[in-house]
Amino acid sequence: MKIMVTGGAGFIGSALVRQWIAESDCTIINVDKLTYAGNLHSLADLQHHPRHIFEQVDICDVEGVEKLFRLHRPDAVIHLAAESHVDRSIHGPMVFIETNITGTAVLLQAARGYWNELSGEAKENFRFHHVSTDEVYGDLDWQDPPFTEETPYTPSSPYSASKAASDHLVRAWHRTYGLPVLITNCSNNYGPCQFPEKLIPLVILNALNHKPLPVYGQGLNVRDWLYVEDHARALRLVLAKGEPGRTYNIGGGCEKQNIQVVESICSILDRMKPLHSQSYHALITFVTDRPGHDRRYAIDASRIQQELGWQPLETFDSGLEKTVNWYLNNGDWVTNVQSGAYRGWLESHYRLPAGTIGN
Ligand code: NAD
Ligand code: DAU
């Protein structure tokens, strides 16, 4: 199979591409604009791999995207390219509208034109798999049951609203034009190669640099964490066996308050790389809360578990241990990613003097 993966140089996309190449005979057409979040260093081992073809294309570029379909004739598309960071969407929403909404519409149109011209098995088996987020469902109160595929959409941030809009477009292309789509809505991922603007890698790298570990508000907000390799396996399963037009929620069944996550990282580091004079816990710093901060996310993953037989392999403890270990042992990747753009973002966002957070 030839699979077009958009956003394959990002955090989840690169994990998916690495896993697919390692565990199957598929050829991957990796389409990525390489924004600040795209990093080919995460795919360094695949640089000369005959089944990994990288195309630097912006998904908003109509001609560029149409050309990709004509040139590569994929059997399926799995669409991950997006602006993905909630805080950035609060500071600058328009690029989220452009990439997440317009970019998805451009891809859908190009896929539809291509699919219309297919025939027989190629047409029947073609799939457009849209990778989305649990944030489209809004947030939960402490006692609410987890999100199901039927939970109404009530997104809170420009990021989640743009992802919700893209989900609606994907469903419209299915209902109106018959495009065989799949949608997955996943909870918070963590693991290797995640850009250190997101909570877990930010805390690991700040701790290693003896910098403050910023916890928004009181740190009581809850996220449902999933190791990225488990998400990648779920995505491959849904693409292979999911029913066109259907949505599948993906989550680890692993709800944690942010402060619990940060404390767990500190405890792992105290064991793996102890400081001489203090514990990493002393670096925890409560900072101004995120505007509109969603209280709690939790996923009911029973559909994908019962219909497709998916289960996460990692527990939070085992996945977090692997993740901390990866950041400790991949100094080159870390140095590469800590670019000027990254520093500038952290300094302006946290309003701290240059060099206080990140490096
Ligand atoms: P990421 O920010 O790490 O990677 C996004 C990738 O998309 C980057 O490689 C970037 O260069 C590329 N990209 C951005 N704009 C582009 C454009 N216009 N054209 C082509 N490529 C472009 O994101 P991630 O965390 O890997 O998330 C991937 C997808 O999964 C997103 O759609 C996100 O909404 C969704 N998702 C993420 C999580 C999570 O916890 N990270 C959870 C659920 C769903
Ligand atoms: O739920 C899935 C979503 O998870 C994905 O769709 C998004 O792409 C992904 O970024 C993630 O969104 P969150 O906003 O939940 O992730 P983030 O790592 O930014 O924050 C996790 C929690 O930690 C959140 O409650 C905010 C808090 N936080 C975050 C940062 C960056 C802090 O307390 N301090 C921080 O410095």
Side-chain angles (χ1 to χ4, degrees), residues 63-189:
E63 276 180 26
V65 169
E66 285 176 354
K67 195 168 157 203
L68 285 172
F69 279 93
R70 280 198 304 276
L71 190 66
H72 294 293
R73 309 197 58 75
D75 298 300
V77 176
I78 178 156
H79 173 36
L80 295 98
E83 289 293 335
S84 69
H85 187 36
V86 173
D87 294 320
R88 282 184 192 261
S89 83
I90 294 167
H91 286 258
M94 294 317 288
V95 68
F96 287 71
I97 307 303
E98 181 69 9
T99 293
N100 299 359
I101 306 178
T102 305
T104 300
V106 167
L107 264 181
L108 282 165
Q109 273 295 75
R112 175 184 157 224
Y114 167 74
W115 174 72
N116 273 335
E117 286 175 12
L118 295 175
S119 56
E121 271 193 8
K123 183 163 194 169
E124 206 173 301
N125 294 336
F126 181 81
R127 297 286 183 270
F128 184 103
H129 179 163
H130 176 60
V131 177
S132 192
T133 170
D134 58 358
E135 299 198 13
V136 298
Y137 300 122
D139 65 351
L140 294 166
D141 222 327
W142 309 116
Q143 304 305 327
D144 286 344
F147 302 128
T148 70
E149 289 81 357
E150 274 71 48
T151 302
Y153 278 29
T154 51
S156 317
S157 71
Y159 162 69
S160 52
S162 69
K163 290 297 289 188
S166 67
D167 292 11
H168 291 319
L169 291 174
V170 173
R171 288 196 181 92
W173 260 245
H174 175 65
R175 173 139 181 189
T176 306
Y177 306 114
L179 189 71
V181 306
L182 297 154
I183 299 181
T184 47
N185 295 84
C186 188
S187 61
N188 285 62
N189 283 217

Side-chain angles (χ1 to χ4, degrees), residues 7-13 31-39 57-60 79-84 99 131-134 159 163 186-189 194 197-198 231:
F11 162 50
I12 301 172
V31 177
D32 201 296
K33 180 181 174 181
L34 295 182
T35 67
Y36 79 94
N39 186 353
V57 172
D58 182 340
I59 56 163
C60 299
H79 173 36
L80 295 98
E83 289 293 335
S84 69
T99 293
V131 177
S132 192
T133 170
D134 58 358
Y159 162 69
K163 290 297 289 188
C186 188
S187 61
N188 285 62
N189 283 217
Q194 186 169 27
E197 62 188 353
K198 307 282 168 67
H231 187 192

